[in-house]
Amino acid sequence: MDALLALFQDYTVQNVALGAALLGISSGVLGSFAVLRQQSLLGDTLSHAALPGVCLGFIVAGTRQLGSILLGALLTGALAALLMLLLTRRSRLKTDAGLGVTLSVFFAVGIVLLTYIQGTNNASQGGLDSFLFGQAAAILRSDLYVMGGITLFALALVAAFWKEFKLVTFDPAFAGSLGLPVTVLEVLLTVMTALAVVIGLQMVGVVLMAAMIIAPAVAARQWSNRLEGMVILAAAIGAAGGVFGGVLSAAGRGLPTGPLIVLSISAIVLVSLLVAPGRGLLWEAAQRWRNRRHLRSQQVLTALYEFSQRHQDPAYKTEQGMVNAYYGVGTGPTLAQLQHRGLVRSMSHMPEEGVHWELTSSGRIEAERILKNLNPQES
Amino acid sequence: MLADLFDNIPLMIIATGALVGVAASLLGTFLVLRKNSMLSDAISHSIVFGIVIVWLLTGQQSGPVQIVGAALTGLLTVFLTELLVNTRKVKNDAAIGLVFPVLFSIGVLLINLYARDVHIDQHAVLLGEIGFVWLDTLQIGPYRVPQSLVSLGAMTLVNFTFVALFYKELKLATFDEGLARALGFAPVALFYALLGLTSATAVAAFDSVGAVLFIAFIIVPPSAAYLLTDRLWKMILYGSLISVASSILGYFLATAWDVSIGGMMATMTGGFLLLAFLFGPRYGLIAQELRRYSQRQDNEGRALAVHLYNHEHEPRELEENAVGALRNHLRWSEEKARRVLVRSLDQNLIVRDAEVLHLTSKGRAVAQEILEPWLHDLDRRRE
């Protein structure tokens, strides 16, 4: 505990934790819209396309000055998105090819610029490599102000246009019919995805930024059916995973930050996919199992009822072996469960012939209710 | 003679880049046509995981074991993605974006933990070192051949054989998957084979161009070729040619400016795509605009013909079918009226008699084709 406390009093670790939290919040919120609009991979393209911008920002500023680097990243990211749209709208290339082409070519240009900067032997270029995989330890307090400012700006935009963004995300055609400027809003959302990418560049790097956009949103979607809940949860999940991975990297043996953050958040995604109430896979399996059991008990109960009706004997005793034969499986557990609910009772009718079952009066009422629900028009 | 060839460093570098491009274009063509381009993105990132795992297990940094191992990783990526999609909780694009970062992250972490001093460092993962392909050589007979060249040559051969052998099946599975399945061509198995080969090629190309630049080699040349032709075999051919040209250009530009050779080669593929996008003979932006322009002009000529035809043999013919009427009745601008007149006269649709315009038989046919298509059909049938 003391060690943990000491860890958080460390100056670098504080920076990293703050930066990771900012990154998690912004990419969680903005990523939610990207994932819901089925533009997950646009984040991948935007983040790879940020690399030439990082280099250009560096070349223009002459030093590793975060402001100009991030501005460059935003510009080339937006340019890539624009080119992607142009390619898919004005040629026969489909979205996937448009994304892949812009991603790889912009990244290639970035690599060329990166090696150009390395070739010029500028002393302060050392920090530039960290934009590939992220190097949280390299974050300065002044960088945090830049990141914080961008995060606040993005969050303010989301708050201001909340209703419009929501409508464009879920039903763009309806939004258009209401007279909303759909294209402008869509461009705005795309630019904001680029903003989220830009915030994360230093922490996780261009290569893994796609996961930061997608993963928190996918995890949050599992827990909430409402956009409000999803966005807030995504921010929380992004921040939690980000801080965990970031601190781990800063405290550890200089492991790259990006992979650690991505793995932390992906672990949350996995857990969410499995156990989230309502949409989790395990939850659904349990639900299916419960349904099947319920159905089986209804079947057995009504079968007993039908037998007694056919024999015109309300107290007719059915042999368990016969019910088993009727369903082809052992119905012992189901009958025991029905007995537990007080709907049937077991009788030793004739000791040598095994267990017999008879309906209780509440079992009769329940069976009649089930049959009535099944065929409402007959009764 | 041959030995000189293999000692020629620039030639070896260019040949390596060209082989990456040709091997990749052979497969990329089908990925682009099947709208699965982004799977190559996922595969090329996640093979890093496979390469590290195989290296940790066997100590081999390249060679057949590496290629097979990493090819399996590629298939694992696709398999995991489909698994996620099949839960119906995650859309296809999000599933791709969830799976490969995880595998890539594990790969990078393992490199950092166990492989700090080996040549698989994290920058080589992304960039490759095509400039150094001649350092790693293999003795084949009397010649010392760069190892990358050998493995890439082998991959090119394998890919070419695959495409040549299954050309018909691939074509059918790409353009009409339902029919391919109905005819028993197992399109899914074919698809997985394609992706397995993609992964294997990515591994073979890994040392020279790295994980991310490989995406440019596999997606961009086929995309450019797609803008140039409608025929499958031509698309493969053009893609390969673009790759080779990009390698040559990229090498010389990179050495001139002293920048990353692989990066410059990949950038050049983008340049070719831009050229195809702008100047493609049929689907290029300029060709589209020209076609639109000439269609607009044709329509103007048709409008004039229809106008003249409507008023032919009318009492007010001399008034309606006069040059001045174009401006007053059709509300065309002076400039537009003159343009349409000149063009229609050139095309022999009308003749001019002082201020009055008359349709020629050709012009009348144009108008009839629009106004009374049944007459037109009758004429044609009579012919």
Side-chain angles (χ1 to χ4, degrees):
Chain A
M1 194 60 215
D2 281 347
L4 202 66
L5 215 64
L7 188 62
F8 273 97
Q9 277 160 356
D10 183 279
Y11 183 73
T12 318
V13 175
Q14 277 178 1
N15 280 351
V16 170
L18 265 174
L22 287 174
L23 153 73
I25 291 170
S26 58
S27 59
V29 170
L30 301 177
S32 296
F33 289 100
V35 168
L36 287 175
R37 292 170 65 223
Q38 297 191 32
Q39 296 211 321
S40 307
L41 289 176
L42 188 64
D44 197 23
T45 297
L46 288 177
S47 58
H48 281 79
L51 186 63
V54 167
C55 297
L56 280 178
F58 179 86
I59 291 174
V60 170
T63 57
R64 191 185 161 284
Q65 189 194 40
L66 196 64
S68 63
I69 285 180
L70 295 193
L71 186 66
L74 186 64
L75 284 181
T76 51
L79 184 68
L82 212 71
L83 260 178
M84 201 280 283
L85 274 182
L86 189 69
L87 273 179
T88 46
R89 294 256 165 98
R90 295 304 303 270
S91 83
R92 53 205 305 237
L93 291 179
K94 309 295 181 296
T95 310
D96 65 310
L99 286 171
V101 162
T102 37
L103 178 154
S104 54
V105 173
F106 271 73
F107 190 81
V109 173
I111 293 296
V112 167
L113 288 174
L114 195 66
T115 45
Y116 168 77
I117 293 171
Q118 281 164 351
T120 56
N121 258 335
N122 193 322
S124 51
Q125 60 91 10
L128 223 49
D129 276 5
S130 65
F131 285 100
L132 285 175
F133 291 106
Q135 191 52 265
I139 285 189
L140 308 171
R141 199 37 75 86
S142 60
D143 296 348
L144 286 182
Y145 294 128
V146 179
M147 288 169 70
I150 303 176
T151 308
L152 275 183
F153 174 67
L155 292 184
L157 266 181
V158 170
F161 293 106
W162 176 262
K163 205 172 51 189
E164 287 82 359
F165 284 159
K166 192 174 178 179
L167 204 53
V168 165
T169 302
F170 288 108
D171 198 342
F174 181 54
S177 76
L178 287 182
L180 287 179
V182 177
T183 316
V184 175
L185 288 169
E186 282 181 337
V187 168
L188 199 58
L189 276 173
T190 306
V191 170
M192 285 167 58
T193 313
L195 272 183
V197 164
V198 157
I199 296 170
L201 282 183
Q202 240 187 334
M203 298 289 298
V204 296
V206 297
V207 183
L208 287 168
M209 204 39 221
M212 287 306 298
I213 300 284
I214 301 169
V218 170
R221 173 69 189 88
Q222 286 297 105
W223 301 91
S224 172
N225 281 326
R226 299 193 55 82
L227 184 64
E228 293 81 3
M230 177 177 167
V231 164
I232 291 170
L233 260 176
I237 290 171
V243 170
F244 183 76
V247 170
L248 207 64
S249 140
R253 302 186 274 157
L255 290 175
T257 318
L260 283 173
I261 292 182
V262 167
L263 287 178
S264 314
I265 296 185
S266 298
I268 301 179
V269 173
L270 188 65
V271 171
S272 308
L273 279 176
L274 288 178
V275 303
R279 279 173 63 95
L281 296 175
L282 291 180
W283 178 278
E284 280 187 343
Q287 191 67 41
R288 257 198 309 279
W289 183 74
R290 229 173 298 149
N291 283 345
R292 207 172 308 149
R293 208 177 57 162
H294 185 60
L295 198 65
R296 168 58 42 86
S297 77
Q298 286 194 338
Q299 283 174 328
V300 170
L301 190 68
T302 50
L304 293 182
Y305 177 77
E306 300 274 356
F307 285 143
S308 76
Q309 288 294 92
R310 291 285 158 82
H311 289 88
Q312 297 180 335
D313 172 11
Y316 180 74
K317 292 160 190 63
T318 312
E319 194 187 345
Q320 187 177 329
M322 192 175 143
V323 189
N324 283 349
Y326 187 71
Y327 284 110
V329 288
T331 50
T334 312
L335 282 165
Q337 186 205 341
L338 285 172
Q339 186 180 28
H340 182 72
R341 286 167 62 195
L343 301 178
V344 299
R345 81 178 145 247
S346 71
M347 310 287 288
S348 281
H349 181 54
M350 284 176 281
E352 67 276 14
E353 282 189 21
V355 190
H356 283 60
W357 296 88
E358 117 186 311
L359 289 171
T360 63
S361 56
S362 55
R364 177 169 310 282
I365 293 166
E366 173 69 7
E368 277 164 0
R369 192 187 63 78
I370 294 167
L371 287 173
K372 199 168 156 193
N373 283 347
L374 276 179
N375 312 309
Q377 69 274 39
E378 273 178 28
S379 48
Chain B
M1 220 297 265
L2 256 179
D4 286 345
L5 220 57
F6 287 122
D7 283 338
N8 185 337
I9 291 172
L11 186 67
M12 283 304 100
I13 294 175
I14 291 172
T16 309
L19 279 180
V20 172
V22 173
S25 290
L26 279 165
L27 307 172
T29 300
F30 295 100
L31 289 181
V32 169
L33 287 174
R34 290 184 52 113
K35 309 187 189 76
N36 285 122
S37 310
M38 286 311 267
L39 273 182
S40 72
D41 174 38
I43 286 176
S44 60
H45 279 91
S46 53
I47 54 157
V48 173
F49 171 77
I51 288 176
V52 177
I53 294 287
V54 174
W55 176 77
L56 285 176
L57 290 179
T58 67
Q60 291 196 22
Q61 288 174 9
S62 55
V65 187
Q66 267 295 10
I67 290 188
V68 171
L72 290 179
T73 327
L75 289 184
L76 177 73
T77 314
V78 179
F79 176 74
L80 287 178
T81 306
E82 302 220 321
L83 202 66
L84 268 182
V85 174
N86 286 339
T87 65
R88 284 180 287 141
K89 303 294 166 221
V90 186
K91 291 276 177 344
N92 186 37
D93 60 331
I96 293 178
L98 280 174
V99 171
F100 84 78
V102 170
L103 292 175
F104 186 76
S105 297
I106 297 176
V108 172
L109 276 185
L110 287 176
I111 291 177
N112 269 274
L113 285 174
Y114 299 109
R116 291 213 154 173
D117 310 320
V118 212
H119 93 142
I120 337 179
D121 74 278
Q122 44 174 320
H123 292 134
V125 164
L126 285 183
L127 318 181
E129 285 158 344
I130 198 170
F132 298 133
V133 285
W134 47 275
L135 285 180
D136 241 347
T137 54
L138 218 66
Q139 196 74 32
I140 297 181
Y143 311 115
R144 282 184 39 231
V145 187
Q147 185 168 348
S148 295
L149 202 66
V150 176
S151 50
L152 280 168
M155 265 336 288
T156 310
L157 207 64
V158 171
N159 291 350
F160 181 79
T161 317
F162 173 73
V163 172
L165 272 181
F166 296 105
Y167 187 75
K168 184 181 59 186
E169 288 81 357
L170 279 169
K171 195 172 178 177
L172 192 60
T174 303
F175 292 109
D176 194 342
E177 192 173 346
L179 182 61
R181 194 176 306 123
L183 293 176
F185 282 132
V188 177
L190 214 56
F191 182 50
Y192 268 87
L194 188 71
L195 292 174
L197 285 178
T198 305
S199 320
T201 312
V203 182
F206 186 77
D207 281 337
S208 30
V209 296
V212 184
L213 291 182
F214 179 71
I215 309 169
F217 282 91
I218 192 162
I219 293 305
V220 185
S223 295
Y226 188 45
L227 298 180
L228 296 175
T229 177
D230 282 333
R231 300 221 68 87
L232 183 58
W233 67 268
K234 276 191 189 165
M235 192 173 153
I236 297 177
L237 180 70
Y238 292 174
S240 306
L241 289 178
I242 288 172
S243 311
V244 175
S246 302
S247 300
I248 299 171
L249 270 174
Y251 175 79
F252 287 110
L253 284 179
T255 43
W257 291 332
D258 191 22
V259 293
S260 155
I261 298 172
M264 205 64 213
M265 288 176 171
T267 306
M268 283 301 108
T269 61
F272 279 108
L273 179 88
L274 198 64
L275 288 181
F277 176 57
L278 291 178
F279 304 108
R282 193 156 156 216
Y283 301 106
L285 210 56
I286 289 174
Q288 278 179 36
E289 284 303 324
L290 283 179
R291 198 158 50 232
R292 201 164 298 162
Y293 177 72
S294 80
Q295 273 169 358
R296 198 156 46 223
Q297 292 213 319
D298 283 349
N299 283 339
E300 288 169 356
R302 285 196 196 108
L304 176 62
V306 167
H307 175 77
L308 296 181
Y309 185 78
N310 275 337
H311 297 290
E312 231 174 12
H313 314 307
E314 263 188 10
R316 281 151 50 88
E317 182 183 355
L318 291 185
E319 189 187 323
E320 284 285 351
N321 291 359
V323 175
L326 298 185
R327 222 142 61 76
N328 301 332
H329 293 195
L330 293 178
R331 300 190 178 274
W332 284 354
S333 67
E334 185 93 33
E335 181 205 0
K336 183 175 174 184
R338 183 174 310 131
R339 187 177 69 221
V340 179
L341 266 187
V342 169
R343 198 157 186 270
S344 301
L345 284 168
D346 278 354
Q347 292 187 335
N348 202 20
L349 296 177
I350 56 171
V351 286
R352 184 170 175 174
D353 178 11
E355 282 305 297
V356 183
L357 303 170
H358 296 289
L359 282 171
T360 62
S361 59
K362 186 180 167 197
R364 201 167 292 118
V366 167
Q368 273 178 348
E369 190 180 348
I370 296 166
L371 293 173
E372 297 157 337
W374 54 92
L375 287 182
H376 188 72
D377 284 352
L378 277 180
D379 284 350
R380 219 182 308 174
R381 224 166 290 159
R382 216 171 289 143
E383 282 164 21

